[in-house]
Amino acid sequence: MALNKKSGSPTQLYLARRYLVLMLAVVPLFAALGGFVRQQLQLPTWPAPMAEPIPRGRILARDGTVLAEGAASYRRYPQGQLASHLIGFSGAVQPDGRYGLEGLEYTYDQRLQAGEPVVTTLDPTLQAAAERHLRDAIIRHEADNGAVVMIETGTGHVLAAASYPSFDPNMRETRTQAALTNRAFLQQYEPGSVMKPFVVAALLESGRLRPDEVIPAEMALRVGSKTFRDVAQHDSHLAVPDILRYSSNVAMIHLSDRFTPEEQHAWLRHFGFGQEMGLNSIFTRTGQLNHWQHWVPQDKASITIGQSVSTTALQLAAAYSIFANDGLYIPPQLVVGEKLSLPKRALSPETALAVRSMLVYTVEESSLRNSKIPFVSVAGKTGTADIFDQASGRYIDGDYTLGFAGIFPAENPRITMVVYLQKPRNGTMSTLVAAPLFRAIGSEVVAHWGLPLNALTYVGQP
Amino acid sequence: MKMHRKTLSALYIVLLLTLATLGVHNQQQFRLQHSLIQEKDSQHQRLAELRGMAASITSPLAVSQWAASSGMIPATEAGDFEQVTPLTSPEPIPLESGLEVRTVWR
């Protein structure tokens, strides 16, 4: 049946309209889909695979040198080994949500994940000098390990903290257990004679010793089951500065008799030994100072000369900085803006100055000339200590810790520095091993400041 | 009613076409963003690598090691220094009065 072109049957018209409406609705839809297909586009999956790499804040030295940067997935350490023990490193995300695995990367993980930078107090030039000279000294003396800590007077800023063996956080294969240990902050060692100035300072401060006293100093003394001997030959009686100059164990033990064990223990804790460092930015250790009630007679004598007590290089440097800070104990600081306890007065300025003068005398008059830094005065003390082996429970014959702790310039202190090497096969005297290391690093520090005026021979006036 | 249906149909078509256009545009933007993120990521990586390469030459540790291997020593260890410039600036010659006028006849 032919349809009327104008009208057609109502049913057909109705169907035709429906068909038209359907086509108008469906065709554009297919056209749109066809467009997607023709452009070879894909519908986005959900969630969209466009997440940016997880950002991570940078770790900087105080002069802005970049020590760590990059997102968690490609973290880089542009300075390589420099300060690697402090910076640590990060890796894959851990079950607790952290990316940091060691050092500041671990302790400041939350802040770094927020994309905020961490600015350290480190001076890269001084850190480099400390690391290079420490490594050279360890290789030269065939030592097992060592550490250096350098603290700025007045602020407590840690300017350098080197440990050896070391590692490059960019290279996984260098991350051995021995290399990862931050010895400057974590390795507890018996410091030896560098402890002696603290006993002298405590006696002076408590009024139990006058600086001009003369003390008996035989060459050997038996205390309890142990005989203590002096190494350097000296007179039978020594003035207080000469006790430090000759590092007389016997005279020091006589001096310590003026304290009860309880008092001596309290004074050593007063200087920070056996105490938390209060540094929140990184792990530290307290050192070991047994309670006085557990001391046997020879323990008190041993502790006086820096044995049977352990410390870390950081703790010892912080304690020595009391002499540099005119008697104030200023907590060490590694990260700018870190909340620390307030400085406390540990000694009167007079006592601090008196001990500093004795330490200058010790360097100037003894065989410690190896520790003298050209054009600046040094106040310092060596320490040679036997190494206690935890496994066998006894001291190891022939293995020593050779250390030096010092302050410079002595008349206007700017730096307190502690260095030590352990188990050197070549060299057994601190004066020949640790003191030259102190000088080598100290010289670089002074050169970094610029030559002092007293170094210059003035010639010519226009 | 017919007019109403026609208007709705037209609106439906327009909205459908708009949706399709936006979809295509969105896809293009998505791909662009994705490629930019990848580019940014690779540029960051490249920057970190370049900084590492630069540090192998210019970092304090590298400079210190290079100086030592080249036989250099800290200035304080040199032992012999001469100050070749005046320690202080020459004193300026004071004028006799605050204002000085000179006349030169030629």
Side-chain angles (χ1 to χ4, degrees):
Chain A
M1 186 179 66
L3 286 173
N4 184 328
K5 278 186 182 175
K6 284 186 178 174
S7 58
S9 74
T11 309
Q12 282 175 326
L13 279 173
Y14 175 77
L15 287 173
R17 277 197 204 106
R18 283 285 178 161
Y19 180 72
L20 184 64
V21 168
L22 190 66
M23 289 304 286
L24 284 171
V26 171
V27 166
L29 186 64
F30 276 97
L33 287 172
F36 277 100
V37 173
R38 238 174 59 186
Q39 291 193 46
Q40 297 179 330
L41 298 173
Q42 294 173 346
L43 288 169
T45 55
W46 188 262
M50 58 165 66
E52 285 200 52
I54 295 157
R56 196 163 173 82
R58 300 200 294 183
I59 301 178
L60 307 166
R62 71 175 184 177
D63 66 352
T65 301
V66 178
L67 302 174
E69 67 175 348
S73 55
Y74 56 85
R75 197 72 167 157
R76 292 283 190 280
Y77 305 90
Q79 305 298 321
Q81 291 193 4
L82 194 77
S84 55
H85 294 97
L86 305 174
I87 300 160
F89 53 86
S90 62
V93 65
Q94 300 299 298
D96 61 359
R98 290 173 190 262
Y99 289 86
L101 301 174
E102 290 281 348
L104 294 174
E105 288 274 26
Y106 179 85
T107 51
Y108 274 87
D109 187 83
Q110 204 174 356
R111 183 160 152 186
L112 292 168
Q113 282 200 42
E116 293 175 29
V118 171
V119 182
T120 66
T121 59
L122 296 172
D123 182 317
T125 306
L126 305 187
Q127 177 72 27
E131 287 188 17
R132 184 171 67 78
H133 286 292
L134 175 65
R135 189 204 60 192
D136 290 351
I138 284 178
I139 291 170
R140 187 181 315 120
H141 298 290
E142 298 173 41
D144 188 67
N145 64 73
V148 174
V149 170
M150 199 186 298
I151 293 180
E152 187 177 55
T153 302
T155 63
H157 287 174
V158 176
L159 300 178
S163 302
Y164 192 91
S166 187
F167 68 98
D168 184 340
N170 296 304
M171 301 164 74
R172 281 176 184 274
E173 63 275 16
T174 63
R175 298 179 194 168
T176 62
Q177 191 55 46
L180 289 180
T181 307
N182 179 11
R183 294 172 199 276
F185 287 13
L186 293 173
Q187 182 159 276
Q188 301 184 141
Y189 67 101
E190 298 188 26
S193 297
V194 288
M195 288 290 280
K196 288 172 181 170
F198 295 103
V199 178
V200 171
L203 287 164
L204 289 171
E205 185 73 10
S206 56
R208 301 191 191 186
L209 175 68
R210 294 191 318 276
D212 58 350
E213 278 190 63
V214 175
I215 310 298
E218 55 272 36
M219 291 302 292
L221 178 69
R222 189 160 184 86
V223 181
S225 61
K226 192 173 177 185
T227 302
F228 293 87
R229 299 178 196 282
D230 282 0
V231 177
Q233 290 294 321
H234 54 71
D235 295 339
S236 61
H237 288 71
L238 292 174
V240 180
D242 285 321
I243 293 174
L244 295 177
R245 173 188 172 187
Y246 292 108
S247 200
S248 169
N249 295 330
V250 173
M252 282 303 304
I253 292 166
H254 283 314
L255 281 179
S256 74
D257 285 342
R258 299 180 182 191
F259 280 139
T260 64
E262 187 178 3
E263 288 170 331
Q264 188 168 335
H265 181 266
W267 269 107
L268 290 176
R269 284 184 69 84
H270 179 69
F271 292 126
F273 296 105
Q275 302 265 50
E276 290 285 348
M277 296 298 299
L279 208 65
N280 301 317
S281 57
I282 199 162
F283 293 114
T284 57
R285 296 183 80 177
T286 61
Q288 189 174 350
L289 176 64
N290 291 336
H291 194 273
W292 64 273
Q293 286 176 323
H294 301 298
W295 293 1
V296 292
Q298 61 265 32
D299 281 345
K300 184 169 180 290
S302 291
I303 289 167
T304 302
I305 61 170
Q307 298 268 191
S308 304
V309 58
S310 68
T311 182
T312 64
L314 177 70
Q315 193 175 53
L316 189 61
Y320 257 77
S321 68
I322 293 171
F323 304 133
N325 289 315
D326 292 332
L328 279 181
Y329 178 85
I330 298 178
Q333 184 178 1
L334 181 63
V335 171
V336 173
E338 186 181 1
K339 284 183 182 172
L340 299 166
S341 56
L342 292 172
K344 66 169 187 178
R345 179 152 295 285
L347 293 172
S348 66
E350 295 76 22
T351 304
L353 185 60
V355 176
R356 220 162 69 209
S357 302
M358 289 180 196
L359 293 175
V360 172
Y361 176 80
T362 303
V363 170
E364 293 291 330
E365 299 299 325
S366 69
S367 57
L368 290 184
R369 293 193 183 93
N370 287 337
S371 66
K372 288 177 70 175
I373 301 167
F375 312 114
V376 294
S377 55
V378 173
K381 182 76 189 77
T382 52
T384 303
D386 295 323
I387 295 176
F388 187 77
D389 181 35
Q390 295 283 355
S392 62
R394 61 182 182 83
Y395 287 95
I396 309 164
D397 282 340
D399 276 350
Y400 302 104
T401 299
L402 307 180
F404 190 93
I407 297 159
F408 62 92
E411 66 280 0
N412 183 24
R414 291 178 66 179
I415 297 285
T416 303
M417 184 161 63
V418 166
V419 305
Y420 77 83
L421 275 68
Q422 287 201 313
K423 302 182 184 178
R425 319 287 185 269
N426 177 13
T428 55
M429 294 176 72
S430 299
T431 51
L432 300 177
V433 175
L437 172 59
F438 180 90
R439 173 190 168 131
I441 301 171
S443 282
E444 295 243 16
V445 175
V446 176
H448 181 54
W449 292 339
L451 276 177
L453 283 180
N454 64 349
L456 303 172
T457 307
Y458 177 72
V459 289
Q461 176 83 27
Chain B
M1 187 68 186
K2 271 186 180 177
M3 278 303 291
H4 187 60
R5 191 180 290 171
K6 279 183 182 173
T7 309
L8 284 176
S9 298
L11 189 63
Y12 170 77
I13 291 162
V14 168
L15 287 174
L16 204 61
L17 288 170
T18 307
L19 182 67
T21 311
L22 284 173
V24 170
H25 181 70
N26 191 38
Q27 284 285 295
Q28 286 171 338
Q29 291 298 310
F30 170 80
R31 287 178 65 182
L32 179 65
Q33 186 192 9
H34 202 270
S35 66
L36 286 174
I37 288 169
Q38 283 183 330
E39 178 68 11
K40 182 180 165 188
D41 191 24
S42 67
Q43 291 293 341
H44 272 300
Q45 287 194 45
R46 181 80 181 127
L47 178 67
E49 283 166 13
L50 288 172
R51 213 191 287 273
M53 286 168 66
S56 68
I57 300 167
T58 61
S59 76
L61 197 57
V63 170
S64 178
Q65 285 168 346
W66 169 82
S69 64
S70 305
M72 297 185 187
I73 55 172
T76 43
E77 298 287 349
D80 188 20
F81 311 98
E82 284 189 349
Q83 174 78 23
V84 293
T85 55
L87 283 175
T88 55
S89 305
E91 286 291 319
I93 301 165
L95 297 175
E96 289 179 359
S97 65
L99 177 66
E100 190 165 314
V101 180
R102 289 183 185 178
T103 307
V104 179
W105 295 94
R106 292 181 185 275

